[in-house]
Amino acid sequence: MDAWRPDPRAPPFVPRRQASLRARGAASLRRPPLLLLPRGRRLARLVQGGLMLVLMVTIAINISFIVDKTRQLRTPSATLGSEGDGGGAGVGRRNNLRLQESPPKTLMVEVLSSQNRVAVTVDGATIVEEGEEGKGRGIHVVVLQQASGAVMAQRVFDTYSPHEDEAMALFLNMVSPGRVLVLAVKDEGTFQMKASGRDALRRLGSVHAHELGWRDMWAMVAAKGGRVYEEQVSRSADFNSWGTPITLKAEVALVPLQESECSWPDTDEHRRRREFCGHIEGYGSVCSCDDPAPLAFTTEPLLNNQVHEVPVAIIASNRPHYLYRCLRSLLAAPGVNPDMITVFIDGYYEEPLAVTKLFGLRGIQHTPLGVKNARIAQHYKASLTATFNIFPAARFAIILEEDLDVSPDFFSYFSQTLTLLEEDPTLYCVSAWNDQGYEHTGSDPALLYRVETMPGLGWLLRRSLYKEELEPRWPTPEKMWDWDMWMRLGEVRRGRECIVPEVSRTYHFGSSGLNMNSFFQDTYFKKHAFNTLTYVELKDLDSLKQGPYEELLAGMFSRATLLDHTTSPCDEDFIPDTRGQTFLLFIHMAHHKDFTTWLQVAKCLRIWDLDGRGYHRGMWRLNIKTNPLLIVGVPFSQYSKYKPASLQPLNLETTSKEKTKASDKTGVRR
């Protein structure tokens, strides 16, 4: 402090904040006029001022818009929303007050129909694009939500093939009123188009449906129950040509969202229904506004239910309508326990999972492995492994496929037969399906057989068999094997047999799939016998064990009547029209793989004739004209001892034409 001396020239002390203000004030006083600034700075100042002006105007417009809309919402229009120009898009849905007077928005739909390509675009977005050769033949159908334009369903119906027109008509009937439908032909769509299919198109408003011909190109956009927005047809000039490509454009008016929804009660069941029906179409009464189909089922209790805690694994892919039908029949069967049902979906497909959740069931998706039959085999393995992991205490599992109906006594059947599988080590499985159980070869639902082949199509599996034998040896993804054919191999089956009913407890309705088409469904599955009784008490269950079963067969052989081996089994009177008799037929069978004569006999009897299955120790057991029929393969079968020494067994050779036909069918498996 002693060294300090005052400095008279020093400026006075000013606090920092005040100094800043004074500096800014002085700077503003010193700021030159705009015209005196350099040209670049003048331009920058003008731009800043313009931006501030635009910002202020924008704020004012927004405030005005908000005030105006608030006033409109608080003062509802006195006019009810109507179908009017919306083409009936609100039919069957809530008809609420319109909250805005501005015209509805529209969709621009463009459709291409041609020999080699079909395409659908909505507002420039491609919805359907199919140009690969050999794929997508027939009529393509797209369903759009009438309020948003969202895609709710997409299907292809190969109406060149049998029954596809019936499937198309059913699907169109199941679509809710008001939905926007887009239809287009690729390649050919009328060869198997019968009156029912054409009538379904006519009900949509088509004026060309009944005159569509061979290789005509055709496209249409319409609202179901409402107007046709656009329809075009292009005729083929002759049998060897196609109609010229069609490019159809249609402007579709959207309706308010409220007009496309149903006013269901706010319950758990209806919340699931609302979620499903809001974005998926084609399920008929389940989405009905007025009378929706129930999603919960009240069934009669099953007394002494031995399978109440047995898990049910449903093997599914991307066939959601099949899965929907399967689940409805399963959940309606007495004895069902929904908590034990799991749907396994091979791939991350939205619609099958949505169908599963619609019924409140557990659904599991997984990444596919392999291709074609190998992929199916890996799907089965993953599903079976997951089933026993989810239910670690389960000693059995029921395996079902998505294209099967189940009988009313499905769970009763397995409840009564579970003890057999538990107690008899010579049994491989219990199946609900009889490969040879057709309407004319099976009539007694209480009767059971033992067979060496594994039928599948609804079957009961032991946990120990799967975990100890099947799972470790299951075919790997690179092996193109059918899982069921692998399970029938002698080294896998190891002499064990399956129990099957004379009348099946499942019905195979699927006509599309990797190894299935409508021809094979009609030929080999459509006329299978199917039990429709709610409860059937099964006969003589103890006689199905290995020892007693042989005693039962011995009694049948002792009282059997020989058929005339000099006549053809194709003759209508080959099996006499009598009752109360057991008939016996001996055929040539040199070894365990010699099915030459059997396949000819099976063809005559109009049963499964693609390979040998459904036999027990070289003997087939059928029921024709209400009479038991035993067919024994000689000399292979141990039952050859019942053949009279002088009798020549029936020996039928396969013609070269039939061999070719049989080889063509070998690709069809289940």
Side-chain angles (χ1 to χ4, degrees):
M1 294 294 294
D2 295 340
W4 181 83
R5 295 287 185 274
D7 184 2
R9 296 184 180 89
F13 173 76
V14 179
R16 184 172 299 175
R17 183 170 181 271
Q18 294 181 9
S20 175
L21 291 173
R22 288 182 181 180
R24 287 202 298 270
S28 64
L29 291 174
R30 293 193 300 270
R31 184 175 296 163
L34 182 64
L35 294 176
L36 298 180
L37 291 173
R39 182 177 179 182
R41 295 184 63 184
R42 289 204 308 270
L43 183 60
R45 292 282 179 85
L46 289 173
V47 171
Q48 289 176 357
L51 290 175
M52 288 297 296
L53 179 62
V54 170
L55 179 61
M56 296 300 294
V57 171
T58 302
I59 292 173
I61 292 174
N62 286 339
I63 292 174
S64 174
F65 178 79
I66 291 171
V67 171
D68 181 59
K69 286 301 175 185
T70 302
R71 185 177 66 254
Q72 290 184 23
L73 291 175
R74 289 178 178 175
T75 310
S77 171
T79 306
L80 289 174
S82 61
E83 294 147 16
D85 295 337
V91 176
R93 301 285 161 184
R94 289 193 312 200
N95 211 9
N96 293 351
L97 296 174
R98 292 185 184 274
L99 299 183
Q100 60 183 24
E101 297 177 359
S102 57
K105 295 181 179 179
T106 60
L107 293 175
M108 289 303 302
V109 180
E110 185 170 335
V111 189
L112 170 67
S113 169
S114 68
Q115 173 193 354
N116 299 315
R117 183 169 170 262
V118 65
V120 176
T121 61
V122 178
D123 283 346
T126 300
I127 305 302
V128 174
E129 176 74 43
E130 181 57 76
E132 184 175 346
E133 185 177 356
K135 292 185 63 177
R137 178 182 62 190
I139 297 180
H140 291 247
V141 181
V142 177
V143 183
L144 304 178
Q145 215 273 359
Q146 67 267 41
S148 65
V151 178
M152 303 189 75
Q154 180 181 336
R155 299 285 188 273
V156 183
F157 300 97
D158 183 11
T159 42
Y160 182 89
S161 302
H163 306 301
E164 284 289 291
D165 61 327
E166 299 167 7
M168 181 189 69
L170 176 62
F171 175 77
L172 295 176
N173 288 337
M174 299 280 269
V175 172
S176 301
R179 303 303 191 199
V180 178
L181 287 155
V182 183
L183 303 97
V185 168
K186 182 193 174 187
D187 187 10
E188 213 297 304
T190 62
F191 184 65
Q192 292 286 351
M193 178 79 80
K194 296 186 287 294
S196 60
R198 295 177 186 272
D199 287 342
L201 298 179
R202 181 183 54 79
R203 285 192 293 271
L204 292 178
S206 171
V207 297
H208 298 296
H210 282 282
E211 58 192 46
L212 279 178
W214 170 256
R215 292 180 175 175
D216 288 348
M217 297 299 106
W218 172 79
M220 182 175 76
V221 178
K224 183 172 180 182
R227 61 173 290 190
V228 174
Y229 291 99
E230 192 69 44
E231 182 181 18
Q232 291 183 23
V233 64
S234 172
R235 308 290 183 192
S236 61
D238 52 58
F239 184 82
N240 295 317
S241 62
W242 285 261
T244 57
I246 287 175
T247 300
L248 175 152
K249 295 182 180 181
E251 184 176 8
V252 178
L254 297 179
V255 304
L257 180 62
Q258 294 83 356
E259 293 187 13
S260 66
E261 295 179 337
C262 295
S263 53
W264 293 308
D266 188 23
T267 63
D268 176 66
E269 177 178 330
H270 288 303
R271 281 192 291 271
R272 286 186 275 118
R273 189 191 308 277
R274 186 175 293 107
E275 169 65 21
F276 180 83
C277 298
H279 67 283
I280 292 177
E281 256 300 346
Y283 291 84
S285 60
V286 74
C287 295
S288 169
C289 289
D290 301 325
D291 187 22
L295 301 178
F297 302 86
T298 302
T299 61
E300 297 179 8
L302 181 61
L303 299 178
N304 193 25
N305 187 355
Q306 299 297 308
V307 295
H308 186 263
E309 300 301 322
V310 172
V312 179
I314 300 179
I315 312 299
S317 56
N318 190 24
R319 299 185 291 180
H321 279 77
Y322 287 0
L323 178 62
Y324 174 80
R325 174 173 168 176
C326 173
L327 291 179
R328 288 201 74 92
S329 71
L330 183 68
L331 293 171
V336 65
N337 181 358
D339 292 337
M340 302 301 290
I341 298 174
T342 307
V343 178
F344 293 96
I345 303 167
D346 187 31
Y348 296 93
Y349 301 110
E350 176 190 5
E351 194 167 334
L353 185 61
V355 169
T356 304
K357 291 180 178 179
L358 173 66
F359 290 103
L361 300 176
R362 182 188 305 104
I364 295 178
Q365 298 170 298
H366 58 242
T367 303
L369 290 175
V371 296
K372 297 185 178 180
N373 292 330
R375 173 175 172 174
I376 296 175
Q378 296 310 305
H379 180 32
Y380 264 86
K381 181 183 179 182
S383 302
L384 296 178
T385 298
T387 297
F388 288 119
N389 288 342
I390 295 170
F391 302 98
R395 296 186 298 118
F396 301 91
I398 295 173
I399 296 93
L400 199 62
E401 297 170 14
E402 66 186 342
D403 56 357
L404 298 174
D405 285 328
V406 304
S407 66
D409 72 332
F410 180 77
F411 290 104
S412 171
Y413 171 79
F414 283 120
S415 178
Q416 295 180 70
T417 54
L418 182 141
T419 303
L420 284 173
L421 189 59
E422 187 174 34
E423 296 179 353
D424 190 347
T426 67
L427 288 179
Y428 197 42
C429 73
V430 175
S431 177
W433 176 264
N434 181 353
D435 284 312
Q436 310 296 0
Y438 290 83
E439 293 172 350
H440 62 286
T441 60
S443 58
D444 188 351
L447 197 58
L448 306 179
Y449 302 157
R450 288 177 70 112
V451 297
E452 293 181 30
T453 51
M454 204 289 294
L457 296 185
W459 51 292
L460 184 65
L461 169 69
R462 272 196 306 259
R463 178 193 190 96
S464 58
L465 172 64
Y466 180 71
K467 301 301 288 186
E468 297 170 12
E469 298 183 40
L470 301 180
E471 186 180 40
R473 301 177 57 192
W474 200 271
T476 51
E478 70 274 7
K479 294 180 179 177
M480 301 294 291
W481 292 358
D482 297 298
W483 70 272
D484 52 345
M485 303 299 285
W486 174 77
M487 284 193 65
R488 292 174 187 143
L489 294 176
E491 60 268 28
V492 178
R493 187 174 54 82
R494 293 167 52 189
R496 291 166 292 193
E497 296 184 301
C498 290
I499 299 294
V500 302
E502 181 170 287
V503 178
S504 295
R505 265 46 178 200
T506 55
Y507 180 78
H508 185 280
F509 61 79
S511 60
S512 65
L514 177 62
N515 298 316
M516 183 58 57
N517 57 44
S518 58
F519 170 78
F520 283 99
Q521 169 64 21
D522 283 355
T523 305
Y524 294 105
F525 296 98
K526 187 175 182 178
K527 294 185 179 180
H528 257 270
F530 178 60
N531 178 55
T532 57
L533 301 177
T534 302
Y535 179 76
V536 176
E537 184 176 355
L538 303 178
K539 291 180 180 177
D540 304 325
L541 288 172
D542 286 338
S543 69
L544 274 299
K545 296 179 180 179
Q546 188 177 45
Y549 193 70
E550 295 306 320
E551 295 175 5
L552 173 69
L553 292 178
M556 295 181 69
F557 278 112
S558 66
R559 59 178 180 270
T561 301
L562 276 174
L563 290 172
D564 185 354
H565 285 56
T566 63
T567 61
S568 169
C570 294
D571 293 345
E572 185 63 31
D573 58 353
F574 181 72
I575 308 294
D577 291 315
T578 60
R579 291 181 178 272
Q581 293 195 52
T582 298
F583 292 107
L584 185 56
L585 174 66
F586 292 96
I587 65 173
H588 179 73
M589 184 178 181
H591 49 80
H592 74 287
K593 292 185 178 180
D594 179 13
F595 298 117
T596 302
T597 297
W598 162 251
L599 296 180
Q600 296 301 302
V601 172
K603 193 184 302 295
C604 289
L605 298 179
R606 292 174 288 115
I607 57 179
W608 184 272
D609 62 359
L610 301 184
D611 56 17
R613 59 178 63 180
Y615 52 84
H616 167 74
R617 301 186 178 183
M619 183 271 295
W620 287 265
R621 185 177 172 187
L622 308 172
N623 193 320
I624 299 181
K625 298 181 180 179
T626 70
N627 295 304
L629 170 62
L630 305 177
I631 303 177
V632 178
V634 177
F636 167 72
S637 175
Q638 68 182 47
Y639 306 115
S640 300
K641 62 185 180 181
Y642 294 104
K643 182 186 76 68
S646 59
L647 181 69
Q648 186 70 24
L650 192 66
N651 190 350
L652 302 176
E653 293 295 332
T654 304
T655 65
S656 58
K657 181 178 179 180
E658 289 169 337
K659 288 180 181 178
T660 302
K661 184 178 180 181
S663 65
D664 291 340
K665 294 178 181 178
T666 55
V668 177
R669 302 287 188 220
R670 322 178 263 92

